[in-house]
Amino acid sequence: QSALTQPVSVSGSPGQSITISCTGSSRDVGSYNLVSWYQHHPGKAPKLMIYEGTKRPSGVSNRFSGSRSGNTASLTVSGLQAEDEADYYCCSYAGSHTYVFGTGTKVTVL
Amino acid sequence: EVELVESGGGLVQPGGSLRLSCAASGFIFSSYAMGWVRQAPGKGLEWVSAISGRDGSTYYANSVKGRFTISRDNSKNTLFLQMNSLMAEDTALYYCARDIGREVDTGAMGVWGKGTTVTVSS
């Protein structure tokens, strides 16, 4: 149950696009298309942004999109806005009814 | 409105015990898998434990296996986490979360509470 690897920080200017990677292994990301992404503003509850790799829950902006290639999943935020500044975490099903989170990425809007 | 409210956190000495509760409302509690996720100070999210909504099967992270016990009371729409043999490394904000499905096999949690703080210190 080793944490998935994410970049510590990613930044971009308003209107730009950013991509956050989430690297796991053949035991988790590589074996299951069951990666979710969460937006976490300090002091608030995490918010589900993407599930099953590419699906957006109702109410989540279509500026957020997910993808996967091999052992790496990615979250892309297009048209970056000030309100997107937050911590982002990926999470993957890891088999045997367990989940594993990523190390987290701080997104800064310049 | 769908809501999860955690309670039961506090200060406990190393080796001590604590029982967290999570009161659910606004949805059919028994239809969903439920879980606990924690965040240590300055650290990231860590999946701790989950329980099936189908048959009550329980699952744990290696870091808490044998010390923590998750349970649910569907008649009271409440999730629990019994934490024994607590260590300093268990100090964290503990979130209750609702899975998007009935089983612990979706990799996603769609509803979260605001958390309850557990501090393990002498």
Side-chain angles (χ1 to χ4, degrees):
Chain A
Q1 296 177 343
S2 298
L4 309 176
T5 300
Q6 297 180 230
V8 173
S9 63
V10 172
S11 62
S13 299
Q16 288 186 329
S17 293
I18 60 167
T19 296
I20 303 169
S21 61
C22 168
T23 302
S25 70
S26 58
R27 295 184 300 274
D28 36 63
V29 176
S31 286
Y32 309 97
N33 195 19
L34 294 173
V35 175
S36 54
W37 289 90
Y38 302 85
Q39 178 188 67
H40 190 199
H41 288 105
K44 294 194 171 184
K47 177 184 178 182
L48 178 65
M49 307 301 285
I50 296 286
Y51 66 99
E52 293 179 5
T54 61
K55 299 178 180 179
R56 278 188 309 275
S58 174
V60 172
S61 171
N62 59 10
R63 298 186 297 105
F64 292 84
S65 62
S67 63
R68 182 188 70 139
S69 177
N71 296 337
T72 298
S74 299
L75 174 72
T76 297
V77 185
S78 58
L80 201 62
Q81 299 179 1
E83 67 210 48
D84 300 332
E85 185 161 296
D87 296 324
Y88 289 81
Y89 293 89
C90 61
C91 177
S92 175
Y93 181 66
S96 301
H97 304 284
T98 64
Y99 297 170
V100 59
F101 276 93
T103 50
T105 298
K106 182 177 180 61
V107 169
T108 301
V109 181
L110 301 172
Chain B
E1 179 189 3
V2 174
E3 190 175 27
L4 299 173
V5 179
E6 304 92 336
S7 61
L11 174 64
V12 60
Q13 292 188 340
S17 299
L18 213 54
R19 190 193 197 202
L20 305 184
S21 299
C22 171
S25 60
F27 64 98
I28 302 174
F29 181 70
S30 60
S31 293
Y32 291 89
M34 298 292 298
W36 292 94
V37 176
R38 69 185 180 183
Q39 184 174 32
K43 303 294 185 180
L45 300 176
E46 179 188 12
W47 180 82
V48 173
S49 179
I51 184 167
S52 167
R54 182 175 60 85
D55 62 5
S57 294
T58 59
Y59 310 100
Y60 301 93
N62 289 337
S63 58
V64 306
K65 197 174 295 183
R67 300 187 300 121
F68 289 11
T69 301
I70 190 172
S71 61
R72 64 192 298 162
D73 185 337
N74 289 339
S75 68
K76 296 182 179 179
N77 294 341
T78 304
L79 178 72
F80 302 100
L81 185 68
Q82 177 66 43
M83 304 185 295
N84 298 331
S85 302
L86 283 162
M87 306 182 296
E89 305 88 275
D90 297 316
T91 294
L93 179 62
Y94 283 73
Y95 292 103
C96 167
R98 188 190 81 176
D99 205 288
I100 63 172
R102 195 166 195 173
E103 257 301 356
V104 185
D105 60 4
T106 68
M109 289 154 282
V111 180
W112 295 64
K114 294 182 178 180
T116 186
T117 299
V118 172
T119 303
V120 184
S121 175
S122 55

